[in-house]
Amino acid sequence: MRILIIAAASVLALGASACTQAEQEKAETHAEAAGDKAAEVAAQTGEVVESGAMKAAQAVEEGAGKVADKLEDNQAQAAAEGRPGAVDPATDTRVPAKN
């Protein structure tokens, strides 16, 4: 993308120093094309970044789901064994502390 910006700036500089109207118009056309290309590359870069963020979020979500399942299993087992403080996930009932 940096190359496209440099190219666009170069074309604009050439256009400014062009001697004839035809040369100036040609330089403007090249500058517009370079600008369009730079915008296209920027849009594609944005899509690549967004898709990467989506994949990362999906991985976090999947990992969090696995952790939640494991914790729920641990709590169900602890509640079934009557361990104080455990919560039975099926009933959302806490095993009372032994006094």
Side-chain angles (χ1 to χ4, degrees), residues 65-86:
K66 288 179 181 178
V67 169
D69 290 345
K70 179 70 174 166
L71 292 172
E72 187 174 324
D73 290 345
N74 289 349
Q75 282 294 292
Q77 183 177 356
E81 293 172 1
R83 287 193 247 159

Side-chain angles (χ1 to χ4, degrees), residues 8-98:
S10 297
V11 170
L12 287 174
L14 287 174
S17 65
C19 297
T20 68
Q21 182 66 27
E23 290 173 329
Q24 288 179 358
E25 289 172 3
K26 183 177 178 183
E28 287 174 9
T29 301
H30 287 294
E32 288 175 14
D36 291 345
K37 183 66 176 174
E40 181 182 322
V41 169
Q44 289 174 3
T45 301
E47 293 301 327
V48 169
V49 169
E50 186 176 324
S51 67
M54 178 190 69
K55 292 290 186 184
Q58 288 171 336
V60 168
E61 181 180 31
E62 182 180 337
K66 288 179 181 178
V67 169
D69 290 345
K70 179 70 174 166
L71 292 172
E72 187 174 324
D73 290 345
N74 289 349
Q75 282 294 292
Q77 183 177 356
E81 293 172 1
R83 287 193 247 159
V87 174
D88 183 349
T91 62
D92 201 31
T93 305
R94 185 173 302 279
V95 176
K98 295 179 182 176

